[in-house]
Amino acid sequence: AQTVTQSQPEMSVQEAETVTLSCTYDTSESDYYLFWYKQPPSRQMILVIRQEAYKQQNATENRFSVNFQKAAKSFSLKISDSQLGDAAMYFCAYRSSPNFGNEKLTFGTGTRLTIIP
Amino acid sequence: DTGVSQDPRHKITKRGQNVTFRCDPISEHNRLYWYRQTLGQGPEFLTYFQNEAQLEKSRLLSDRFSAERPKGSFSTLEIQRTEQGDSAMYLCASSYRVTEAFFGQGTRLTVV
């Protein structure tokens, strides 16, 4: 079974600064997807960024980028130019390749990010 | 609003009562998922539908839990004989491709 570990329960960053959230995972599969989801207070979870394991290039979405280290099974999220609206719980998640027929997302325990004005 | 819709948003029930939650996915999405999230934890997978077929169930889904998706559209999650340990946020998500799932705002269940 796959597991996802987020070792930072809480992080804070000054507005406009850069912050990195950590995530490690364990799997024996070679093909899979990794995701970062954002869950603002009392709001629905939204996808921030995803990475296909077969792609060597790190995914980037505007101010959000990842550092994907497949051999180390590490998938960190970097938020640049932090904004007040970035304050939320961030969850790292794993999904097997469709070839394995397993459609579920496995989530970490989350990191609560606070933005300091 | 064309997002995933869940009803009700909040439910308070007495222990032993039955409750039913509804999820309306994004209209063209054939995949529908239920997750449970307790305080301070990430969501845990409960079950998955592709169209009307329930293809995967977690061991978390005890025999008191049942989910349906008639006609491959909306889905319901029923919990019979609720227990205090069932108190959680129940999240529904839908997708068309495996690479992205869209979540609803969830139903928060409190069992007293």
Side-chain angles (χ1 to χ4, degrees):
Chain A
Q2 294 78 32
T3 59
V4 177
T5 302
Q6 294 180 250
S7 58
Q8 304 156 316
E10 297 183 354
M11 291 282 285
S12 60
V13 63
Q14 206 82 29
E15 193 176 2
E17 296 296 308
T18 296
V19 64
T20 298
L21 308 184
S22 300
C23 172
T24 58
Y25 59 94
D26 189 29
T27 184
S28 58
E29 298 170 346
S30 59
D31 194 14
Y32 47 86
Y33 299 91
L34 296 165
F35 305 85
W36 279 98
Y37 278 89
K38 169 185 176 182
Q39 189 177 40
S42 302
R43 301 277 302 276
Q44 70 257 52
M45 198 167 310
I46 57 175
L47 179 67
V48 174
I49 198 166
R50 70 169 170 264
Q51 174 81 41
E52 291 90 342
Y54 66 87
K55 290 186 177 180
Q56 292 186 336
Q57 187 172 8
N58 288 325
T60 300
E61 288 287 343
N62 301 313
R63 298 183 295 107
F64 299 87
S65 61
V66 298
N67 184 1
F68 173 48
Q69 301 288 329
K70 191 172 183 180
K73 297 179 182 173
S74 169
F75 183 61
S76 61
L77 174 70
K78 186 172 83 171
I79 307 174
S80 304
D81 185 26
S82 297
Q83 300 176 0
L84 294 177
D86 295 333
M89 281 291 287
Y90 285 81
F91 291 97
C92 179
Y94 174 105
R95 168 179 268 157
S96 299
S97 163
N99 296 330
F100 293 107
N102 183 342
E103 294 257 350
K104 70 176 184 181
L105 285 164
T106 300
F107 287 88
T109 51
T111 296
R112 182 175 302 281
L113 179 64
T114 301
I115 311 296
I116 303 167
Chain B
D1 187 346
T2 57
V4 178
S5 176
Q6 291 190 245
D7 183 70
R9 294 288 308 280
H10 303 274
K11 178 71 177 179
I12 300 174
T13 190
K14 291 183 178 178
R15 191 172 49 189
Q17 297 293 304
N18 299 343
V19 294
T20 299
F21 310 140
R22 177 180 171 123
C23 171
D24 286 273
I26 295 171
S27 59
E28 65 268 25
H29 286 184
N30 60 346
R31 293 173 164 88
L32 187 146
Y33 313 82
W34 286 98
Y35 289 84
R36 181 172 68 187
Q37 186 178 20
T38 53
L39 203 61
Q41 300 296 316
E44 295 174 296
F45 171 78
L46 292 178
T47 190
Y48 153 65
F49 291 86
Q50 186 161 333
N51 300 310
E52 67 275 10
Q54 189 174 18
L55 298 185
E56 196 173 348
K57 289 170 60 173
S58 164
R59 287 174 294 176
L60 292 174
L61 215 65
S62 76
D63 56 5
R64 296 186 298 108
F65 288 69
S66 62
E68 295 183 340
R69 192 183 182 197
K71 302 178 184 177
S73 55
F74 71 92
S75 176
T76 58
L77 178 68
E78 181 183 16
I79 309 174
Q80 296 182 326
R81 306 182 302 282
T82 51
E83 302 172 355
Q84 285 189 322
D86 297 330
S87 295
M89 177 76 85
Y90 290 84
L91 298 171
C92 177
S94 71
S95 72
Y96 181 71
R97 291 188 292 259
V98 296
T99 51
E100 184 166 0
F102 294 84
F103 282 81
Q105 291 189 282
T107 294
R108 182 170 296 283
L109 173 66
T110 302
V111 182
V112 298

